[in-house]
Amino acid sequence: MTLMKTLGGAAVAVAALALPIKAETWDMPTPYPDATFHTVNIAEFAKDVEEATGGDLAIKVHSAGSLFKHPEISKAVRSGQVPAGEFFLSLLANDNPVFGADSLPFLATSYDEAQALWAAQEEVITQLLDEQGLMPLYAVPWPPQGLYTTKEINSVDDLAGLKFRTYNATLEQFANLAGAAPTQVEVPDIPQAFSTGRVEAMITSPSTGVNSKAWDFLTHYTDIQAWIPKNIVVVNKRAFRRLDEDTQTAVLEAAEVAEARGWEMSKSEAEEMTQVLKDNGITVVEPSEELTSGLQEIGAQMLEAWKEEAGETGQQLLDAYEG
């Protein structure tokens, strides 16, 4: 009887070992709608991970802030409420000014400059995120940021008094220096904010302008190419470490592909979406010399203030970028 029990127990154990490992699903919140190229890229990333792992890891993308609102995403990943998420990198500038380097006006205004800045920024960002229990998977830029308004803007003085949409501390500082009135508005709320008069101007990408159907509530887009900010996709370190080695490798390889693909998508997006703005009746103009000069003065003031806040780490980043 004892032998039979032993044999039976062994058979159960062997059978249990033979069972396939249960697939794991990660919930991944993102701030932007499905049509936004960042979200399209993330959907491809999730597909690549699932295919590479044979379905052992599935990533369920929750777009448009449907699971967590944009400002909450980094905290949700940090606390382990979700294993991974995407957010606008400079939203963490209050934690450390280095997070906001890519949103400094006129520091990096071309894709080549933006890639050089990310190369200088990445190691520092990785260390700072590590302290928060996070690990970066990849970062992808938005197209260069332009100025959207309900009227023609020829100088910084024309921005004075306008209700100006902001989404981080850097842009709030910019609005104040321009004499505008900063108002916090997240992407999904842009149409209503303009339509109700809550905001009258914003700086954002051609992508966000098109996705928000800006032609329904404003008239002008000035292509100032102010900065090229990035979204970053991060993972909770504990969640990542719980994956087996093969799955970790699959995630990292898919992330590398997603970053390269995302940069190319951003470049195409800049041209295509600017044309869509034109096609839908937005007046697209190059900035006047007076406006450019005034904006660059604001950028210079912000850079000096940033250097003081960022200290030695910020100076090392700038030295690496400019070296």
Side-chain angles (χ1 to χ4, degrees), residues 9-297:
V12 170
V14 170
L17 289 172
L19 289 173
I21 298 173
K22 186 178 179 181
E24 184 172 359
T25 298
W26 279 6
D27 288 308
M28 182 176 177
T30 72
Y32 305 102
D34 291 336
T36 304
F37 79 94
H38 282 284
T39 312
V40 172
N41 191 34
I42 283 175
E44 286 294 315
F45 165 71
K47 180 182 176 183
D48 289 347
V49 169
E50 187 164 5
E51 289 181 353
T53 62
D56 287 344
L57 177 60
I59 297 176
K60 184 177 181 181
V61 179
H62 299 266
S63 59
S66 57
L67 188 60
F68 290 98
K69 296 299 182 184
H70 196 171
E72 302 167 353
I73 292 176
S74 65
K75 300 179 183 68
V77 182
R78 190 187 313 172
S79 65
Q81 292 175 271
V82 289
E86 177 206 29
F87 53 88
F88 196 69
L89 180 58
S90 63
L91 280 180
L92 299 184
N94 284 335
D95 296 344
N96 190 300
V98 172
F99 284 115
D102 61 5
S103 290
L104 288 170
F106 303 104
L107 179 63
T109 59
S110 70
Y111 281 103
D112 286 345
E113 291 176 349
Q115 284 192 307
L117 181 59
W118 177 230
Q121 195 181 18
E122 185 173 10
E123 184 176 348
V124 181
I125 295 297
T126 299
Q127 292 173 354
L128 291 171
L129 289 175
D130 183 75
E131 294 169 6
Q132 298 184 6
L134 302 174
M135 185 179 79
L137 291 179
Y138 67 89
V140 169
W142 288 93
Q145 306 289 283
L147 175 64
Y148 293 81
T149 53
T150 55
K151 64 178 183 178
E152 185 177 0
I153 302 294
N154 291 310
S155 70
V156 170
D157 290 341
D158 292 337
L159 297 173
L162 293 184
K163 300 170 187 174
F164 202 97
R165 180 228 171 190
T166 62
Y167 47 76
N168 60 24
T170 303
L171 197 49
E172 184 173 344
Q173 182 185 10
F174 178 91
N176 284 323
L177 288 171
T183 305
Q184 181 82 18
V185 175
E186 293 300 326
V187 168
D189 302 323
I190 287 174
Q192 183 180 15
F194 269 93
S195 298
T196 59
R198 186 179 165 205
V199 292
E200 302 165 290
M202 66 179 176
I203 291 179
T204 193
S205 70
S207 308
T208 299
V210 170
N211 290 332
S212 301
K213 295 184 178 179
W215 47 84
D216 288 339
F217 48 82
L218 53 80
T219 56
H220 286 72
Y221 174 77
T222 308
D223 190 15
I224 59 175
Q225 299 197 19
W227 56 86
I228 303 179
K230 295 182 292 292
N231 282 0
I232 193 164
V233 173
V234 302
V235 62
N236 180 286
K237 288 198 303 181
R238 292 189 303 276
F240 186 77
R241 287 169 181 164
R242 285 196 292 267
L243 301 174
D244 62 66
E245 187 175 341
D246 287 345
T247 304
Q248 288 181 359
T249 299
V251 170
L252 294 177
E253 288 179 350
E256 185 176 354
V257 171
E259 180 161 299
R261 179 176 58 228
W263 280 76
E264 291 305 312
M265 291 174 76
S266 181
K267 293 173 186 178
S268 298
E269 184 88 356
E271 183 177 342
E272 292 170 7
M273 295 301 101
T274 300
Q275 186 61 48
V276 173
L277 292 174
K278 290 180 182 178
D279 292 345
N280 282 276
I282 295 285
T283 301
V284 177
V285 297
E286 295 298 316
S288 67
E289 289 185 13
E290 185 178 0
L291 177 59
T292 297
S293 176
L295 292 174
Q296 287 176 340
E297 286 180 16

